[in-house]
Structure formats: structure tokens, C-alpha cells
């Protein structure tokens, strides 16, 4: 019986620890590893984008395997939809395909990740109660011997209870910490990839409200242009139709007006001619003579105006000639004045030069005179030196003769 009880305790302890270990491993491989893998793929994609932008080759992000196997489906959907919307002149938002749900929640099994810490803690508490139950089973406090015999069993059960609690809570804390670190790393990698992609590969799309506003304004502008074109077309069509309808009437009116005007002019001419003829006949041809005289006077006035015009042109040319002569005289006067000023300046410079030369000559003469005096003094000194030199041998010879004689 003790062997069965001990076997049962060992099996229960193994099962609890095995359950904690299995759940922890499931959390590591199902929740934490996918987040670390996606974060690494996104960081690697950022490096590829920067290297491709620096080299300037074919864009690598057009490939379906750009983000790896785990994110291939989302990336293929983005490429397909981006190509279709680009052909229609519409932007495609990367955040609709690569977001917190597709990169973190779904690959990392967010619901399972929320369940695992509580499950580990529950397993630890379950092990605690099982250990306490094993320690308190068959305990005997009726006698002192039974109490002493039950203490090892109670301590064994409490050890199992506390150990399972420590294991469950420790694994729960470790999983929470690793899961939060992996989620934060994946989120930072997602933001870094989004910023790098919009900076190096594609223009960042507008916000939804701004895009709707721009589309509304574009639609209003298109409708305004369409209304203007329709109005211009209708006006042109009406103008052509009215012109075609009124063309015969306008032509008839023009013909009538031209004929009526021509007849009126001819009638006025005939009336004036008859009036002039009758007036000339009544005045015995004086009207004709007056006309001839007026014609001669007109011709004389025209000739006088022509002569006056010629005289004005001649006087204008004389005035221009006089003005040019005056300008030339003024130019000659200015030139003579400049020459006079130049001569005066040159004369002043020559006077200054002559004064300087005179002063220099006087200085040179004074120096030559001083030099002559110095040479005279030097000659006198040389004469005295030569006399001294001549007198010294003679004195030496006179001193030497008595000495020789004494010897």
C-alpha cells in the first residue's frame, strides 16, 4: 500500500510538472517564436529596402517572397491589389494587409497567449491543492506516535504543493515577459518596415477622410467641366441652328437694303445735278465759272501748303544742323578745357619736379662740399701721418748709434 501511494504521488507530481512544461513549450513555439520570426523578417526587409535604394536596381519588393514564407499570403494580396489600384490611379494602404492582426495576433495566437499564463497559474494552484490533499490524507493526530509518523507525509505533500506553485507561477511570469518582449519587438519592426517602405518604395497614401474629400473635390471639378462642355456644345448648336434659320432672311434684308440705298444715292445725285444745272442756267454760267475759280483757288492753296511744308522741313533741317554744330562746339570747348586742365596739372607737376630737383641738387652740392672738407681733413691727417713715419726712423737711428759705440 505505501508503494502504491508513493507511486501515485510520483505520477501525479510528474503529470503536473509535465503539463506545466508542455504548456510552456506550446506557448514558446506557438506564440513567442512566430512573433520573433516575423520581427526578424520585417527587420531584414528594411535592410533589403535600404540596400536596394542605395544600389538603384530592380525593386525587390515586387517579389512575392520578399517577406518570407510566413507573411507571403498577405504580401501577395498587397502586391495584387496595389497593382490593380495603381492602374486606376488610386493609392493602396500597406496597413490594410500588414497590421497588428496579421503580424502579431494571428501568427502569435493571441487568444492562446492570453490563456497560457492563467492556465500555468491554475496548474500551479492545482498542484498546491493536490499536494496539500496528499499531505493531509491519512494523517493521524489522535496519538503522539501517529502524529510523528504523519509529519513526513505532510511535509512531502507541502513540498509538492509549493514546488508546483513556484513552477507554475515562474513559467507564467517567464511566458508573459517573453511574450510582451516578442510582441513589442514585432510591433517596432512593423512600424520600422512601414516607415521605410513608404520612404523608399511607395508614397504614403492619404487618410480616409482626406482621400474622400479629395475625391469629392475631383468629382465636383469633373462635373463642373462636364456641365461647361455641355453648355458650350448646346450654345454652339443653338448658334448654328439659329444662323442657318436666319440666313435666308438676313440675305433678303441685306439685298433689300443695298438696293434701296443705291436707288436713294442715285436719286440724290440726279436731284443735285438738276439743281446745279438749273442754278447755272439761271445765273448765265456764273456757277460754272465759280466752280472753276474755286478749283483754281484750291490748287493754289494746295501748292502753298506744299511750299510751306517744304519750308518747314528746310527750317527743321537747319535747326538740326545748328543743334549739331552747337553740340560739336560744346564738345570742342569741353575738350579744350580738359586739355588746358591737363596742361596746368602737368605744369604744376613739372614745377614740383623742378623744385624737388633743385632741392636735391642743393643737397648733393652740400654733401659734395662736406665730402671735400672730409677729404681735405683726411689728406691733412695722411700728411701728418707720413711726417710722423718719416721722423720715427731718423730718431731710431740716432738712438742706435750711441748704443753701438758703448758696446
Amino acid at each position: 500500500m505505501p508503494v502504491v501511494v508513493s507511486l501515485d504521488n510520483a505520477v501525479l507530481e510528474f503529470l503536473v510538472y509535465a503539463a506545466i512544461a508542455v504548456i510552456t513549450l506550446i506557448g514558446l513555439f506557438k506564440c513567442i517564436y512566430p512573433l520573433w520570426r516575423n520581427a526578424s523578417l520585417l527587420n531584414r526587409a528594411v535592410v533589403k529596402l535600404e540596400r536596394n535604394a542605395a544600389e538603384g536596381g530592380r525593386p525587390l519588393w515586387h517579389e512575392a517572397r520578399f517577406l518570407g514564407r510566413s507573411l507571403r499570403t498577405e504580401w501577395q494580396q498587397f502586391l495584387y491589389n496595389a497593382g490593380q489600384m495603381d492602374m486606376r490611379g488610386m493609392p493602396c494602404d500597406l496597413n490594410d494587409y500588414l497590421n497588428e492582426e496579421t503580424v502579431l495576433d494571428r501568427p502569435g495566437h493571441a487568444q492562446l497567449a492570453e490563456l497560457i499564463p492563467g492556465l500555468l497559474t491554475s496548474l500551479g494552484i492545482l498542484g498546491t491543492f493536490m499536494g496539500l490533499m496528499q499531505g493531509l490524507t491519512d494523517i493521524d493526530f489522535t496519538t503522539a506516535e501517529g502524529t510523528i509518523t504523519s509529519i513526513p507525509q505532510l511535509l512531502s505533500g507541502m513540498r509538492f504543493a509549493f514546488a508546483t506553485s513556484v513552477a507554475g507561477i515562474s513559467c507564467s511570469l517567464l511566458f508573459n515577459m517573453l511574450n510582451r518582449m516578442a510582441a513589442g519587438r514585432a510591433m517596432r519592426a512593423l512600424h520600422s518596415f512601414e516607415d521605410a517602405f513608404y520612404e523608399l518604395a511607395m508614397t504614403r497614401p492619404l487618410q480616409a477622410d482626406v482621400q474622400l474629400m479629395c475625391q469629392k473635390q475631383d468629382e465636383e471639378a469633373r462635373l463642373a467641366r462636364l456641365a461647361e462642355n455641355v453648355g458650350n456644345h448646346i450654345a454652339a448648336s443653338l448658334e448654328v441652328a439659329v444662323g442657318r434659320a436666319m440666313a435666308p432672311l438676313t440675305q433678303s434684308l441685306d439685298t433689300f437694303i443695298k438696293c434701296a440705298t443705291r436707288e436713294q444715292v442715285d436719286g440724290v445725285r440726279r436731284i443735285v445735278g438738276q439743281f446745279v444745272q438749273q442754278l447755272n442756267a439761271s445765273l448765265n454760267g456764273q456757277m460754272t465759272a465759280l466752280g472753276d475759280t474755286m478749283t483754281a483757288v484750291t490748287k493754289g492753296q494746295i501748292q502753298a501748303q506744299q511750299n510751306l511744308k517744304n519750308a518747314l522741313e528746310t527750317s527743321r533741317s537747319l535747326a538740326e544742323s545748328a543743334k549739331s554744330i552747337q553740340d560739336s562746339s560744346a564738345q570742342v570747348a569741353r575738350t579744350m578745357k580738359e586739355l588746358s586742365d591737363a596742361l596746368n596739372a602737368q605744369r604744376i607737376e613739372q614745377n614740383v619736379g623742378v623744385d624737388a630737383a633743385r632741392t636735391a641738387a642743393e643737397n648733393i652740392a652740400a654733401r659734395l662740399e662736406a665730402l671735400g672738407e672730409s677729404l681735405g681733413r683726411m689728406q691733412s691727417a695722411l700728411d701728418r701721418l707720413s711726417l710722423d713715419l718719416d721722423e720715427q726712423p731718423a730718431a731710431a737711428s740716432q738712438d742706435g748709434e750711441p748704443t753701438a759705440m758703448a758696446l
Side-chain angles (χ1 to χ4, degrees), residues 13-315:
E13 186 175 356
F14 174 76
L15 289 176
V16 172
Y17 285 126
I20 292 174
V22 169
I23 292 173
T24 303
L25 291 176
I26 290 174
L28 290 175
F29 286 101
K30 287 290 185 179
C31 301
I32 297 175
Y33 173 72
L35 298 181
W36 283 91
R37 180 190 58 198
N38 290 341
S40 301
L41 292 175
L42 292 173
N43 291 327
R44 193 180 306 166
V46 171
V47 175
K48 290 181 181 179
L49 285 175
E50 293 176 351
R51 188 182 305 164
N52 190 15
E55 293 176 356
R58 180 180 176 274
L60 297 177
W61 61 274
H62 287 172
E63 299 178 358
R65 298 175 297 175
F66 179 67
L67 291 182
R69 183 178 299 176
S70 61
L71 299 174
R72 180 182 296 179
T73 304
E74 290 79 8
W75 190 247
Q76 287 179 348
Q77 292 178 359
F78 169 73
L79 292 178
Y80 178 74
N81 294 328
Q84 294 295 326
M85 296 181 73
D86 185 57
M87 288 190 298
R88 292 165 176 79
M90 300 174 63
C92 185
D93 192 2
L94 178 65
N95 196 21
D96 294 338
Y97 305 92
L98 294 178
N99 48 36
E100 186 175 355
E101 180 182 359
T102 57
V103 177
L104 277 75
D105 295 342
R106 191 166 62 195
H109 301 89
Q111 295 180 355
L112 180 61
E114 293 178 357
L115 177 64
I116 286 176
L119 187 60
L120 291 173
T121 305
S122 299
L123 286 175
I125 296 173
L126 178 63
T128 301
F129 287 118
M130 289 174 64
L132 293 175
M133 184 180 66
Q134 290 177 3
L136 294 175
T137 302
D138 297 332
I139 191 171
D140 186 11
F141 290 109
T142 58
T143 62
E145 184 179 358
T147 302
I148 295 172
T149 306
S150 301
I151 288 176
Q153 184 180 355
L154 178 61
L155 294 176
S156 177
M158 292 178 65
R159 181 185 61 79
F160 173 66
F162 292 139
T164 53
S165 297
V166 170
I169 294 174
S170 298
C171 291
S172 176
L173 292 176
L174 180 63
F175 177 80
N176 271 328
M177 182 177 65
L178 293 177
N179 190 32
R180 295 292 178 86
M181 291 174 60
R185 184 171 181 265
M187 184 60 68
R188 289 192 299 271
L190 178 62
H191 291 328
S192 299
F193 176 75
E194 185 177 357
D195 295 338
F197 184 77
Y198 284 136
E199 181 180 358
L200 302 175
M202 184 182 291
T203 305
R204 185 182 295 274
L206 299 175
Q207 296 181 357
D209 52 351
V210 178
Q211 187 174 358
L212 290 175
M213 188 180 298
C214 294
Q215 291 179 356
K216 183 178 179 181
Q217 291 180 355
D218 294 339
E219 188 68 21
E220 290 178 355
R222 189 178 65 83
L223 291 176
R225 290 194 299 270
L226 181 63
E228 184 178 0
N229 293 331
V230 171
N232 294 332
H233 182 70
I234 293 174
S237 301
L238 288 175
E239 184 178 359
V240 172
V242 171
R244 290 177 180 177
M246 295 296 294
L249 180 60
T250 304
Q251 187 174 3
S252 301
L253 290 175
D254 290 340
T255 303
F256 174 75
I257 291 172
K258 288 179 180 179
C259 294
T261 304
R262 187 179 299 111
E263 291 177 357
Q264 289 177 1
V265 170
D266 293 338
V268 170
R269 287 179 179 177
R270 287 194 298 270
I271 293 171
V272 171
Q274 292 177 0
F275 176 74
V276 171
Q277 290 176 1
Q278 292 177 2
L279 184 61
N280 188 21
S282 63
L283 294 175
N284 296 323
Q286 292 181 2
M287 199 68 181
T288 304
L290 179 61
D292 295 337
T293 304
M294 292 296 292
T295 302
V297 170
T298 303
K299 291 181 179 179
Q301 289 179 355
I302 292 171
Q303 186 64 33
Q305 289 178 358
Q306 186 67 30
N307 294 333
L308 181 60
K309 184 177 180 181
N310 294 330
L312 290 174
E313 291 179 354
T314 303
S315 62

Side-chain angles (χ1 to χ4, degrees), residues 364-378:
I364 292 171
R367 292 180 181 178
L368 289 174
E369 185 177 357
L371 183 60
E373 292 177 357
S374 299
L375 290 175
R377 289 193 296 272
M378 289 177 64

